[in-house]
Amino acid sequence: MDKPLGPAHIKAALFDFDGTLADTERFGIELDEEAYAYYGITPTEAEKASLSGTDGLESIPALFHAHGLGVSAEEFFAHRRPSDVIYQELPIKASPGAREVMRRLRAAGARIAVVSTTRHALVETVLGRIGLADLVDVVIGGDDVEHHKPNPEPYARALEKLATTPAEAVAFEDSPSGVASAQAAGVYTFGFTGSCVPQELPAADERFHSFEELAK
């Protein structure tokens, strides 16, 4: 089946945050490694990346199962520093070119949403810290929805808030679960492969390595 064409006129641009708009995932992996050390395992790079873009409820037990351990997400996070420190304190920067892409989309009449598994308040905080808050109309955080990515609910909620149809929107994602979530909501999806934890995104409608490419 041929992939769908993107909208002729973009009315809504929906951005994942972690690993897409900002390089947070390397910090998250550092926190994860503290918990891995507690349990005495050394996951592969691919296994570490498998947690990216997820809430961990399924991906964490799967990772530990591969190492012969039964560890729930709740148990894992009990031995890991809270992610809040990433968004509130660590030296995060916006992905190169991301602000320019967002600015150009707004100038062309699009509204902007950030769709994340991270808590709403933390996303709001970090957008302000990295200088993108003024470009964002709507934030959908993990605590704003019942079902997380790859379920379509986060993107469907963003479209509802923006009063926009899927056919008028595009999404930018760096993980398979994020791509699946956006596409399940009917949104044409660009897969970002320039994350510090790059992942294969064969299902994305288009792929790009840097926002600077799109800003030209």
Side-chain angles (χ1 to χ4, degrees):
M1 181 181 296
D2 292 335
K3 288 190 175 181
L5 296 175
H9 178 64
I10 298 170
K11 293 187 178 180
L14 317 175
F15 292 83
D16 170 57
F17 185 79
D18 294 285
T20 302
L21 283 181
D23 177 9
T24 59
E25 296 188 342
R26 63 188 178 95
F27 297 118
I29 287 175
E30 289 175 9
L31 299 185
D32 291 345
E33 287 176 341
E34 296 174 1
Y36 299 144
Y38 173 84
Y39 287 103
I41 67 170
T42 305
T44 65
E45 294 303 315
E47 288 174 330
K48 294 177 184 178
S50 71
L51 272 58
S52 298
T54 76
D55 58 13
L57 295 180
E58 296 182 3
S59 57
I60 288 170
L63 184 153
F64 278 93
H65 178 74
H67 290 264
L69 297 174
V71 176
S72 68
E74 182 179 17
E75 291 168 330
F76 175 81
F77 287 120
H79 298 287
R80 178 188 186 275
R81 281 187 293 161
S83 292
D84 299 35
V85 67
I86 299 174
Y87 306 95
Q88 296 171 341
E89 301 176 20
L90 297 184
I92 298 172
K93 294 181 180 180
S95 297
R99 180 175 175 82
E100 178 62 13
V101 169
M102 295 170 79
R103 188 192 67 77
R104 289 190 179 187
L105 284 164
R106 281 182 66 94
R111 300 184 72 203
I112 306 293
V114 173
V115 183
S116 178
T117 303
T118 299
R119 292 202 318 274
H120 187 121
L122 292 177
V123 177
E124 294 270 15
T125 295
V126 75
L127 287 171
R129 289 185 62 213
I130 66 176
L132 297 181
D134 62 312
L135 296 173
V136 176
D137 299 291
V138 167
V139 169
I140 301 297
D143 51 337
D144 294 321
V145 296
E146 182 177 354
H147 303 291
H148 295 158
K149 303 173 186 178
N151 189 282
E153 183 183 351
Y155 280 97
R157 182 68 61 85
L159 292 170
E160 178 184 356
K161 291 284 187 180
L162 293 175
T164 308
T165 68
E168 300 171 313
V170 294
F172 299 85
E173 273 283 358
D174 76 315
S175 70
S177 64
V179 170
S181 174
Q183 291 183 331
V187 180
Y188 189 89
T189 305
F190 291 85
F192 176 51
T193 61
S195 170
C196 71
V197 187
Q199 300 188 63
E200 296 292 330
L201 302 173
D205 297 300
E206 293 186 43
R207 287 171 291 281
F208 68 106
H209 188 72
S210 168
F211 282 103
E212 291 176 312
E213 299 171 14
L214 304 182
K216 293 179 179 179

